[in-house]
Amino acid sequence: MTFKMNHVHLKTEDPEATAKFYVENLGATITSQRNDSFRLDLHGLSLNVSKFLTQQKRKQIYGMEHIAIDTDELDNLIAKLKDKGIHILEETVVSGGRRVCFFEGP
């Protein structure tokens, strides 16, 4: 049996603003849109962005813990996010000496 990543689904009160955030700040592209739902390509990772789905019976919650993205321009990205008023939660070093930054999305 084989598996491969299909998508990550983000649920938000404002799908359009959330999609715009990923496009403007992280270089995602919108690959499709239907009503208030968006599908994005975030450098090979498919993101679905929507409000709560009325047809879904199981409990729904907003958001996700985090998405990990690698970049060779971390300092430039952090500066860009700060310039846009995006809240930086933490800048730290993790195992292996890799620098990381956690920031708040919509």
Side-chain angles (χ1 to χ4, degrees), residues 2-7:
T2 61
F3 293 94
K4 74 174 198 169
M5 177 65 75
N6 182 277
H7 71 274

Side-chain angles (χ1 to χ4, degrees), residues 11-103:
K11 291 190 180 175
T12 174
E13 292 179 354
D14 191 341
E16 185 173 0
T18 300
K20 184 177 178 181
F21 175 88
Y22 284 96
V23 168
E24 291 181 353
N25 296 296
L26 299 175
T29 56
I30 296 173
T31 58
S32 67
Q33 177 182 356
R34 186 172 31 128
N35 302 321
D36 283 338
S37 295
F38 295 83
R39 180 161 267 209
L40 309 177
D41 179 342
L42 180 62
H43 310 287
L45 174 64
S46 291
L47 291 179
N48 289 353
V49 181
S50 74
K51 292 183 176 183
F52 282 169
L53 305 174
T54 55
Q55 70 275 21
Q56 184 172 318
K57 302 293 185 234
R58 65 188 179 281
K59 181 180 178 183
Q60 299 182 66
I61 59 171
Y62 287 125
M64 182 193 348
E65 158 60 29
H66 72 269
I67 299 171
I69 302 166
D70 289 326
T71 180
D72 59 355
E73 296 186 23
L74 184 61
D75 293 324
N76 290 338
L77 177 59
I78 293 169
K80 177 182 173 180
L81 296 173
K82 286 179 178 179
D83 286 347
K84 291 186 170 194
I86 294 169
H87 183 229
I88 303 297
L89 300 169
E90 181 180 12
E91 293 179 58
T92 190
V93 178
V94 295
S95 62
R98 188 167 51 101
R99 293 177 52 226
V100 299
C101 171
F102 294 90
F103 57 89

